[in-house]
Amino acid sequence: MSNRFDQIPMQDRPREKLLRNGAAALSDQELLAILLGMGTPGMDVMTLAGKLAKVIDERGLKVRAEDLTSFPGVGDAKATLILAAIEFARRRIKPEGVKIETPADLLPHVRHYADRKQEYFLCATINGANEILNIRVVSMGLVDRTPVHPREVFADALSDRASAVIVAHNHPSGDVYPSPSDIHITAQLKAAGSIVGIELLDHIIFNRTEYFSFLEEGKL
């Protein structure tokens, strides 16, 4: 892979792919690569975009310029462009402040993780008005499982002063039915939430077209 888009084969260029198929057809990595424009002398643009995407996943809406400029070759110009794009979208789409009527209302805000090759365990923090405060990646795992501990889920929830959380993760294998480990971690999170006073509203497992809700299936 090359540092510049003009050195990438035409059919693989994110910009041309966006124009041909629309922005929704691009992965997060490809969208971020368009914002970056080019890589660094030691890293091609797609690799750099992949590394930055992980940081943005972990930090959610609280990502800061210094989180991005810690990568060699990412200066203030690239960092501010990325942060401005995130804030511009946030003000219009507003996952922060979106009201959750049912836990499955979270799906449109996390379904872009369905294409990932690993499991991503996500946590949405919810306030007393049933509005989303933030959505973060808690952990990333293997193709068929992701390790997660209740303290990792509730640490940010406590920081957000959340009254509840909804957790979700993708199943790269496609089958959305919960595994024994999914059932176990759900029970752990429900118990931990009761102790700290933050309710677990639901655990959602999803792929591109289907989802499984522990709440809707009466397993919470």
Side-chain angles (χ1 to χ4, degrees):
M1 191 70 69
S2 304
N3 282 347
R4 301 181 62 90
F5 284 130
D6 58 11
Q7 296 173 316
I8 298 175
M10 181 68 73
Q11 68 273 14
D12 296 329
R13 296 179 191 176
R15 290 171 182 166
E16 282 69 18
K17 185 176 177 181
L18 186 151
L19 292 172
R20 187 172 63 249
N21 302 320
L26 274 65
S27 67
D28 289 355
Q29 184 180 7
E30 290 171 324
L31 292 169
L32 192 52
I34 290 176
L35 292 174
L36 290 169
M38 61 183 297
T40 65
M43 189 180 302
D44 65 78
V45 66
M46 291 300 292
T47 300
L48 178 60
K51 291 181 179 293
L52 291 176
K54 289 182 180 180
V55 173
I56 295 169
D57 283 345
E58 292 166 0
R59 294 289 297 166
L61 294 173
K62 293 186 177 180
V63 63
R64 303 169 300 174
E66 49 265 41
D67 297 324
L68 307 178
T69 55
S70 63
F71 288 85
V74 179
D76 290 344
K78 287 182 178 178
T80 53
L81 177 61
I82 292 168
L83 293 176
I86 292 172
E87 179 62 16
F88 185 84
R90 186 195 69 81
R91 292 181 183 184
R92 283 148 184 82
I93 301 173
K94 295 186 177 178
E96 178 187 11
V98 167
K99 196 173 185 66
I100 296 293
E101 300 291 345
T102 68
D105 291 341
L106 180 69
L107 278 169
H109 305 290
V110 300
R111 204 151 220 167
H112 55 285
Y113 289 97
D115 291 329
R116 305 298 176 91
K117 304 303 182 186
Q118 298 171 293
E119 281 197 6
Y120 278 67
F121 197 94
L122 310 159
C123 177
T125 51
I126 311 294
N127 66 17
N130 289 330
E131 297 171 335
I132 297 174
L133 295 171
N134 207 340
I135 300 172
R136 300 179 179 89
V137 175
V138 176
S139 68
M140 294 176 288
L142 304 174
V143 172
D144 59 346
R145 66 185 186 278
T146 178
V148 66
H149 193 281
R151 65 171 172 266
E152 297 169 324
V153 172
F154 289 104
D156 287 324
L158 289 167
S159 176
D160 288 350
R161 299 179 182 272
S163 63
V165 296
I166 301 171
V167 297
H169 76 276
N170 63 311
H171 265 188
S173 64
D175 183 7
V176 296
Y177 196 79
S179 68
S181 63
D182 293 334
I183 295 170
H184 176 68
I185 188 59
T186 304
Q188 279 191 320
L189 291 174
K190 183 176 181 180
S194 297
I195 293 172
V196 300
I198 299 177
E199 184 182 3
L200 175 66
L201 295 179
D202 201 356
H203 182 179
I204 298 170
I205 303 169
F206 62 94
N207 59 25
R208 286 178 60 89
T209 58
E210 300 175 304
Y211 75 92
F212 179 96
S213 162
F214 276 74
L215 179 66
E216 291 179 5
E217 297 295 329
K219 295 184 179 295
L220 191 63

